[in-house]
Amino acid sequence: MNANSSLPLPSEPLLLLPGLMCDARVFAAQRAAFADAVAAPDYGDLATLGAMAERVLTAAPARFAVLGHSMGARIALEVVRRAPGRVTRLALVSTGVHLPLPSEPEKRHALRDVGRLHGMAALVDAWLPPMVAPSRKSDTALLLPLRAMCIEAGLAQFEAQIAALLARPEVETLLPQLACPVLVACGSEDRWSPPAQHAAMAAVIPHARVVVVDGAGHMLPAEAPDALNSAIADWLSATPKPL
């Protein structure tokens, strides 16, 4: 299936939530394939996931399906926490639900310091290559648009978003309460959010379906759009949460 092929339309709007340093461009193939798919508003320099979720809800329609990628999936869970009756289905892509590990602040602050000392291009050049599958590290058609998008996010936004991630709330107890069709998807080569992490999440979600895309890394929406779009189409055809 081609990423731009005509795919089943959702019965409700499909809201797409990008992750760290990303914007609507990371979902270009999904927005092209699904007519009712729209990207969430820019998070700006908001520094908590809760505030980002509130911004999403303010702009969202009364009821909607929501797909979050990476940090965007954590925001999607905060959306569900605040307004479960408005979310008809949920997709968690290339993400996790654990609280920060002891080593996480140091790693994130090290990247921040690269940005402060050497600028956003240096920060992105250190961060982005491990986010794609090893076989795609020289794929300029994939990497150059992603690099430009992340550099344009700017250091202030990066700092706000890592502050939000380091202060993220507990969410694991929310998973068994999810009452809508849930897609859990990742790439087989995702070293930041590996398949085992997604399998553990899905195991405690009542209506979850797991999709692991062979050969893709953390930037799944851009790396393997055909496979992800196929999984999205299946998820959109699942029985929605009743009114």
Side-chain angles (χ1 to χ4, degrees):
M1 178 178 58
N2 185 279
N4 293 318
S5 299
S6 177
L7 294 171
L9 298 180
S11 58
E12 60 281 321
L14 171 57
L15 197 57
L16 303 168
L17 277 57
L20 181 68
M21 291 191 284
C22 295
D23 58 30
R25 285 172 282 186
V26 78
F27 294 121
Q30 289 70 50
R31 292 161 61 218
F34 299 96
D36 285 350
V38 294
D42 194 304
Y43 308 131
D45 293 344
L46 296 175
T48 70
L49 299 182
M52 295 175 193
E54 292 291 348
R55 178 168 290 182
V56 169
L57 283 165
T58 297
R63 284 173 64 80
F64 54 92
V66 60
L67 180 153
H69 171 247
S70 193
M71 182 187 75
R74 291 184 178 274
I75 298 168
L77 286 166
E78 293 305 309
V79 166
V80 174
R81 194 199 301 272
R82 287 161 171 74
R86 293 176 62 184
V87 177
T88 59
R89 57 192 88 221
L90 172 67
L92 306 173
V93 178
S94 308
T95 194
V97 293
H98 56 281
L99 289 170
L101 300 173
S103 61
E104 187 173 333
E106 180 180 358
K107 291 177 180 178
R108 293 196 184 274
H109 291 153
L111 275 172
R112 176 203 64 192
D113 293 344
V114 169
R116 288 178 176 179
L117 289 171
H118 304 292
M120 276 301 289
L123 186 160
V124 173
D125 287 342
W127 176 81
L128 182 58
M131 293 292 115
V132 301
S135 63
R136 306 295 295 277
K137 282 187 176 182
S138 300
D139 186 342
T140 56
L142 170 69
L143 287 172
L144 289 181
L146 291 174
R147 181 179 185 270
M149 174 185 66
C150 294
I151 290 172
E152 287 175 27
L155 186 59
Q157 187 174 104
F158 175 77
E159 293 197 22
Q161 290 180 358
I162 63 168
L165 286 166
L166 291 174
R168 59 188 183 259
E170 184 278 329
V171 75
E172 290 181 90
T173 54
L174 178 63
L175 300 185
Q177 303 174 44
L178 297 174
C180 59
V182 177
L183 169 65
V184 178
C186 69
S188 66
E189 304 302 310
D190 190 337
R191 287 161 289 169
W192 184 259
S193 303
Q197 183 167 291
H198 291 78
M201 289 162 43
V204 297
I205 299 174
H207 307 285
R209 178 188 174 220
V210 181
V211 173
V212 178
V213 178
D214 189 47
H218 191 70
M219 291 296 185
L220 180 57
E223 288 184 68
D226 292 354
L228 181 59
N229 286 354
S230 179
I232 291 170
D234 290 344
W235 166 66
L236 291 173
S237 69
T239 302
K241 180 180 177 181
L243 290 168

